[in-house]
Amino acid sequence: MTADTAPTDADWVATARTLSQALPLFQRYAGATVVIKLGGHAMGSDEAMRSFARDIVLMSHVGVNPVIVHGGGPMINATLEQQGVVSEFVDGKRVTDAATIEVVEMVLSGFVGKRIVQAINAEGGRAIGISGKDANLMICEQTDPKLGFVGTPVECNPQFLQSLRDTKTIPVIAPIGAGRNGETFNVNGDTAAGAIAAALKADRLLLLTDVAGLKDASGDVVSEMTPEAIRQLTADGVIKGGMIPKTQTALDAIDGGVRAVVILDGRAPHACILELYTAQGAGSLIRT
Ligand code: X2W
């Protein structure tokens, strides 16, 4: 089927067959909790956002409980740059002083989260934007004094997400945590998604990023990998750099009770649908 020719009867039959073939997978994931981390680099144009939102609404419609945790690093950078501030990153974490945490919270909770909420609602879903502060969802402690207001989740209270689930409301969560002494903490988006997925004992954690998946020693993307293989490839230096926080998140999430984690390219069209509802899947699936 191309854009400039009208679909034929055979094309419509093919479309119907595709829908029918998805039935066993619709059934498999009905009732499943799927945490989706949408990274700032995976958020593209308005059209890409619409397509992502549509996929989330479709998942929700066929019985999945999607929980979205978003990033927004590039958007925070852009706002800080307007103020003449350039961030320093240590091991993938933004050094966050008192002025920076205000910008981080404003951009993530205000701008990025609400863009996703609005896109989902425009497709007929029902999304609500919250952060780790709401209902004590994610309590944090300071990660390292050198990083300032960067937090590590130490307690998650996801019980109230159940009431959202009961009303088919899709949570869109900004990776901001509350400290026990009234502090606001900036949490790496992957870390937040892993902690929330573990607290929910999610069936799947989808880490949508800007790479096709995990590569083996020959540079090929591997469709499935065990935690042991990841540890070995990391020790061998094959998995390195920016991939390490993602694989660490995946390993921690699996240790914490998440059934499987998928690292996939969120810029690819319909990445979530491809992963859940086609036999082929997408990206690299990690499970024991
Ligand atoms: C991140 C939070 C946003 C994030 C930051 O300040 O950039 C830390 O580095 P992406 O788009 O997923 O990278 N927090 C501590 O993780 O965004």
Side-chain angles (χ1 to χ4, degrees), residues 37-43 69-77 80 87 89-96 100 104 108 143 147 149-151 175-176 185-191 208 246:
K37 155 73 196 317
L38 180 62
H41 289 284
M43 279 174 228
V69 180
H70 62 84
M75 297 77 180
I76 299 168
N77 290 342
L80 286 172
S87 286
F89 285 83
V90 176
D91 295 333
K93 297 186 187 81
R94 183 188 309 274
V95 177
T96 305
T100 302
V104 170
L108 294 181
T143 303
L147 299 176
F149 292 95
V150 171
I176 299 290
F185 282 117
N186 178 12
V187 184
N188 173 276
D190 292 329
T191 308
L208 300 189
K246 288 204 191 298

Side-chain angles (χ1 to χ4, degrees), residues 271-287:
C272 296
I273 298 295
L274 202 59
E275 167 51 25
L276 294 182
Y277 299 124
T278 69
Q280 154 103 351
S284 304
L285 179 89
I286 303 158
R287 73 172 153 207

Side-chain angles (χ1 to χ4, degrees), residues 72-277:
M75 297 77 180
I76 299 168
N77 290 342
T79 305
L80 286 172
E81 275 163 26
Q82 282 166 11
Q83 302 177 3
V85 178
V86 177
S87 286
E88 187 196 336
F89 285 83
V90 176
D91 295 333
K93 297 186 187 81
R94 183 188 309 274
V95 177
T96 305
D97 63 14
T100 302
I101 188 63
E102 290 191 2
V103 173
V104 170
E105 184 173 32
M106 181 183 77
V107 171
L108 294 181
S109 284
F111 169 65
V112 180
K114 297 304 175 193
R115 182 176 175 220
I116 301 169
V117 164
Q118 196 169 11
I120 292 172
N121 294 348
E123 295 301 326
R126 205 160 93 115
I128 186 168
I130 56 177
S131 81
K133 284 185 172 180
D134 291 279
N136 288 324
L137 176 59
M138 193 168 62
I139 307 293
C140 292
E141 285 176 2
Q142 189 179 46
T143 303
D144 179 337
K146 289 199 284 294
L147 299 176
F149 292 95
V150 171
T152 301
V154 289
E155 183 191 322
C156 284
N157 298 295
Q159 298 81 353
F160 83 103
L161 296 179
Q162 182 66 44
S163 54
L164 298 183
R165 178 181 166 155
D166 291 345
T167 53
K168 284 222 158 281
T169 306
I170 301 167
V172 175
I173 305 167
I176 299 290
R180 296 196 202 275
N181 301 312
E183 312 94 315
T184 298
F185 282 117
N186 178 12
V187 184
N188 173 276
D190 292 329
T191 308
I196 291 166
L200 287 168
K201 304 274 180 252
D203 298 279
R204 285 279 183 285
L205 167 61
L206 308 184
L207 294 174
L208 300 189
T209 181
D210 59 352
V211 295
L214 292 174
K215 292 180 178 164
D216 62 15
S218 53
D220 296 323
V221 173
V222 180
S223 62
E224 194 161 341
M225 224 183 246
T226 60
E228 295 70 48
I230 289 180
R231 288 192 189 96
Q232 189 59 52
L233 286 173
T234 307
D236 295 345
V238 175
I239 293 176
K240 54 183 191 292
M243 205 34 113
I244 289 183
K246 288 204 191 298
T247 51
Q248 194 55 51
T249 295
L251 299 182
D252 291 346
I254 287 170
D255 280 348
V258 175
R259 282 179 55 200
V261 181
V262 187
I263 296 178
L264 67 169
D265 190 347
R267 300 163 310 168
H270 304 297
C272 296
I273 298 295
L274 202 59
E275 167 51 25
L276 294 182
Y277 299 124

